[in-house]
Amino acid sequence: MRSFKRNLAAWLFALPALAILGISCSVTDSVEEEDPYALWKEQPNERIVFMSKADSPEGELYLLDKNGHVTRLTDNERHENNPALSFDGTKVAFNGGDEGNLLTWEIYTLDLSTGVETQLTDNNVIDAHADWSPDGAMIVFGSFRDAQGNPSGTADIYVMDSDGTAPTRLTDSPWEDNDPEWSPDGARIVFKSTRNTQQGGREEIYIMDSDGADSQRLTTTSGWQSDHDPSWSPDSDRILFTRFEGNRVWYDTANFAEDWEELTPWNVHRVDLGGNVERLTDSADAGWGVTLYSADASRILFGTIDWITNNDNHVIGGHHRLILMDPDGSNQRRLLPDDAHTGTLEYFDW
């Protein structure tokens, strides 16, 4: 269960949500106010879907369009997270359920044009981290179930038709296999796993054929390093991921406010299919966030948390921001202005 970052997320969102006010000014009255969404409008991607607790303590899904307008996609008493856009941008897959009872987490899809929501799984296990096949016909996801369908302490990778039928188990390991994502060419699935380290909280990046065959480990960790949330390049030959580089297991967050310096940083890395790893960011204290290529591979967008501390150096909150950078890690810039979502934005896709 810990692989879904429940402990970290639950602690962060127990903090008061910080509404960040954007302040603009001009040198003279004749100078036109700068468009705060200008950088976003330059990007090839058309939309961003994300989870935020700005309007609800449970957490809802939102969509940012190309004009900088935010639309709330879900409105209920259920927790939603891990949104994944279909390759054609018309639907979103996500997991939803009671945040305090992970056994209620199920996979859903939402049609962005009609607003119709469809529940795909219905069982007493954790189903989450869904992603689409390139043709939209299938969905891959992580599920904490055993061979009999009962709750399990570790996850395996499953696929199903996009209507929720024909679930098929792709991995069968006593260790954790999770965070799957389908390659744009449809040939492979990338995921994280503890099958090599055989230690909770010590995930590494693997790939396998889309039918579950020929799994290969791409990254090797040491100490308490742990690799998470892998995502493909548009040409399917490179993978981005976020590596935890702290001094203890990443989910040991019971006293995060005081111990945060041992539970950071999280930095963006890239690995090719030959296992060659590059470190793209070099933060000493950044919080966890997802990392994704732009549609044309000209930019990388990643989430990060800038911690807010008091006079005793205890964390009292954080700015959850989306950072745009060049593929080599240079030219890092904030993509969006701070707003009501800055205090709680978590998983996103574009």
Side-chain angles (χ1 to χ4, degrees):
M1 298 182 184
R2 291 176 290 204
S3 70
F4 289 109
K5 305 176 181 67
R6 175 173 178 263
N7 294 336
L8 178 59
W11 185 89
L12 291 175
F13 295 131
L15 296 168
L18 299 171
I20 311 299
L21 301 178
I23 301 174
S24 61
C25 60
S26 58
V27 177
T28 68
D29 292 340
S30 62
V31 177
E32 184 177 349
E33 183 176 345
E34 182 179 356
D35 182 357
Y37 294 96
L39 183 59
W40 160 233
K41 292 176 181 179
E42 295 173 3
Q43 306 313 309
N45 298 57
E46 293 296 324
R47 58 189 60 83
I48 299 174
V49 292
F50 62 94
M51 192 286 287
S52 167
K53 294 190 174 183
D55 302 310
S56 165
E58 288 80 20
E60 304 289 347
L61 298 185
Y62 297 80
L63 184 145
L64 172 71
D65 68 19
K66 209 59 181 175
N67 295 316
H69 178 70
V70 175
T71 300
R72 184 171 174 174
L73 298 177
T74 59
D75 188 355
N76 51 58
E77 296 181 355
R78 182 187 64 204
H79 171 72
E80 287 99 14
N81 214 337
N82 301 296
L85 281 165
S86 59
F87 278 76
D88 63 6
T90 63
K91 296 181 179 180
V92 179
F94 61 95
N95 54 262
D98 183 349
E99 190 173 18
N101 180 8
L102 276 67
L103 294 178
T104 66
W105 285 18
E106 307 290 355
I107 304 298
Y108 296 79
T109 59
L110 177 67
D111 188 307
L112 294 177
S113 62
T114 65
V116 173
E117 180 181 290
T118 303
Q119 183 174 342
L120 302 187
T121 64
D122 185 11
N123 48 59
N124 192 41
V125 302
I126 306 170
D127 293 331
H129 281 277
D131 191 52
W132 298 85
S133 63
D135 61 3
M138 302 185 74
I139 289 176
V140 62
F141 63 102
S143 183
F144 285 80
R145 68 179 84 174
D146 62 19
Q148 290 72 44
N150 300 311
S152 172
T154 58
D156 279 301
I157 309 299
Y158 284 73
V159 293
M160 60 183 167
D161 291 346
S162 59
D163 62 0
T165 61
T168 302
R169 188 177 188 174
L170 295 188
T171 68
D172 185 4
S173 167
W175 307 101
E176 180 99 359
D177 293 336
N178 212 338
D179 290 9
E181 182 170 302
W182 221 302
S183 63
D185 65 8
R188 297 181 177 90
I189 292 170
V190 65
F191 61 102
K192 71 178 184 182
S193 179
T194 58
R195 58 176 69 182
N196 174 56
T197 64
Q198 299 187 4
Q199 186 175 8
R202 287 285 316 285
E203 293 88 347
E204 296 170 328
I205 303 302
Y206 284 70
I207 56 172
M208 62 182 172
D209 294 345
S210 59
D211 62 359
D214 193 25
S215 63
Q216 303 172 51
R217 178 166 55 93
L218 296 184
T219 68
T220 301
T221 59
S222 62
W224 284 113
Q225 289 179 345
S226 184
D227 299 338
H228 297 260
D229 299 295
S231 64
W232 291 93
S233 62
D235 58 6
S236 302
D237 67 355
R238 290 157 293 172
I239 295 163
L240 297 172
F241 63 95
T242 307
R243 172 168 286 177
F244 172 72
E245 299 171 331
N247 296 323
R248 60 170 73 181
V249 64
W250 63 266
Y251 53 73
D252 184 14
T253 58
N255 196 28
F256 184 85
E258 297 182 18
D259 299 336
W260 67 276
E261 289 177 300
E262 296 183 16
L263 291 162
T264 57
W266 297 74
N267 275 298
V268 177
H269 290 65
R270 177 171 54 218
V271 62
D272 63 23
L273 301 187
N276 301 299
V277 176
E278 302 172 82
R279 191 172 190 251
L280 300 181
T281 63
D282 189 22
S283 173
D285 57 10
W288 162 83
V290 179
T291 178
L292 303 167
Y293 272 102
S294 63
D296 62 358
S298 65
R299 299 287 186 273
I300 291 171
L301 184 65
F302 68 98
T304 190
I305 306 174
D306 299 319
W307 305 112
I308 302 170
T309 58
N310 61 17
N311 291 335
D312 295 321
N313 197 34
H314 294 171
V315 167
I316 57 174
H319 300 294
H320 299 231
R321 293 177 171 133
L322 300 183
I323 307 299
L324 191 74
M325 65 181 176
D326 292 348
D328 63 358
S330 64
N331 196 24
Q332 295 184 21
R333 296 166 288 170
R334 281 166 52 187
L335 180 66
L336 304 172
D338 286 345
D339 60 14
H341 300 286
T342 305
T344 59
L345 185 151
E346 195 182 331
Y347 276 95
F348 68 92
D349 195 11
W350 73 336

